Amino acid sequence: MSGKPAASAPVRMFFREAIARAAREAMQADPRVIIIGQDVGAFGGSYKEFAGLYDAFGPARVRDTPIAENAMIGLAVGAAAAGLRPLVSITYMDFLMLGLDPLVNYGVKARFKTGGQLSVPLIVKTTAGAKGQGVAHSQCIEAWMMSVPGLQVFAPSTPADAYLMLKAAFLAEGPVLFVDHKRLFPVAGDVPPSDAVADVGRAAILRAGDDLTLVAHSYMCRVALAAADRLGQSGIRAEVIDLRCLSPLDIATVETSVARTGRLITIEEGQKICGVGAEIIAQLSCLPLSFHCERIAALPAPISSNPVLEAAALPDPDRVVAAARALMTKPLHKEYP
Amino acid sequence: MIYALTVPGPIEDAEEVRVLEWHCAVDDAVNPGDLVVELETHKALVEVRAAQAGYLRRIVCADGGWCAIGAPLAILSDTLDEMPGEQADDLPMLLVEFEVC
């Protein structure tokens, strides 16, 4: 696996394989890169997203840990401050909560506290999203993390971005929270060659349209695209924007789209209150822009492991289509009020 | 008759599969129970076995290729005298059995 020549053309692969490829290339390129977490070693990662790395790089660089998120992130912060480039894998984003003290109070602040003398080039990779595992293994708390100054938050929706953005995270100066999603691992897509570079910090327009703007990130981009397809069948042209990166947030791309459409729906799997959509709408409200908007998010309840209740709590294309139709009935005010 | 061997389904969580390995070559006879092709989802292997006899005539999706659930993988015929065309999309489906391992 490590003896393969660098790919020179896009290669189709599963989302988890794109992550493994980015990690493998980073480990080949830089001996300071290490991977730590539960089941990252011989098992190859909880979602097989680190498959092959243990065999290629050995137990010193691909290290299994006990289930102790606070200690895992704590030692990774220390290792990064001391000169390594660790990726620490937190299998369920729910348990990132246990590691927030070392990440937020030490990892992210080290650069500020030392006047830039100490940097903490750390990746915390974690998997968000609901897929039948109940109240404490389903949450999307990435919006909390957007308000931590100095923490970058990446949330790709495609195998190509998983590869490019994880590669970029391995080169970043400070901590990066890399959020993937349980329902993205089965997705396949074309991944660019190894000399491609991510346009980190820029949102992507996944589908162009003039009637309304749908903004999402991670798995919800697929919900947005499915809704846009259905809206398109009835003549409503929805633009779909994939934020890709929540911090820094590319509000300019959203603004340009909403200036044209005058209608915005934000879609996220986390909570509505103080969510990604709330932040986007708040930022747009401070601009000379007139628009109608709606936020779609998980219902304000814990996510049940009962599949009927889980589905009822989560945003789906039906909810997006209904919200879009309602917004389309509102007249546009092109003038700034 | 001429048939299409399509990616069987539904397979939990899978929209698209990768062909891991063909176990038959073009013009091989295929009998019920024979392992014809192994497919890969993001986390599982899918063994596809013939549930009717025939001859493998053309592989549409070779080893390493990608194919959506329900899309054609190969063309088979009842006899070697029949000449299958290029088009696999509108053919009747070959009966198969599959197991997700």
Side-chain angles (χ1 to χ4, degrees), chain A residues 300-320:
Chain A
I303 304 294
S304 174
S305 54
N306 174 318
V308 175
L309 295 177
E310 179 190 274
L314 299 181
D316 60 16
D318 283 348
R319 279 172 69 191
V320 179

Side-chain angles (χ1 to χ4, degrees), chain A residues 142-232:
Chain A
E142 56 269 26
W144 302 8
M145 301 290 102
M146 290 170 71
S147 61
V148 178
L151 179 64
Q152 296 182 73
V153 182
F154 295 177
S157 75
T158 62
D161 267 348
Y163 169 69
L164 291 171
M165 295 176 78
L166 187 55
K167 260 185 28 167
F170 276 113
L171 300 173
E173 280 304 307
V176 173
L177 179 65
F178 183 95
V179 185
D180 49 33
H181 192 291
K182 297 176 190 76
R183 292 185 195 270
L184 286 175
F185 288 112
V187 171
D190 291 333
V191 171
S194 54
D195 54 357
V197 175
D199 198 1
V200 170
R202 285 288 298 276
I205 295 172
L206 299 183
R207 177 185 172 124
D210 291 323
D211 292 329
L212 85 160
T213 304
L214 307 178
V215 174
H217 66 277
S218 189
Y219 177 69
M220 282 295 132
C221 290
R222 296 175 68 81
V223 170
L225 285 169
D229 265 348
R230 281 176 43 191
L231 289 166

Side-chain angles (χ1 to χ4, degrees), chain A residues 30-122:
Chain A
D30 187 343
R32 296 172 300 171
V33 173
I34 61 166
I35 312 268
I36 67 171
Q38 280 114 51
D39 297 327
V40 299
F43 191 71
S46 301
Y47 299 94
K48 301 287 184 198
E49 73 273 45
F50 301 115
L53 300 184
Y54 182 84
D55 289 341
F57 300 103
R61 294 183 67 193
V62 186
R63 193 168 280 230
D64 279 318
T65 65
I67 305 177
E69 290 82 0
N70 179 275
M72 290 156 61
I73 295 182
L75 77 85
V77 167
L84 294 181
R85 284 191 161 269
L87 179 152
V88 54
S89 171
I90 304 293
T91 303
Y92 292 102
M93 190 177 207
D94 314 66
F95 303 113
L96 176 62
M97 295 176 198
L98 288 126
L100 287 184
D101 175 52
L103 177 62
V104 175
N105 284 330
Y106 296 93
V108 174
K109 294 193 175 78
R111 187 156 50 91
F112 299 94
K113 286 163 78 174
T114 62
Q117 293 179 68
L118 207 59
S119 70
V120 177
L122 162 71

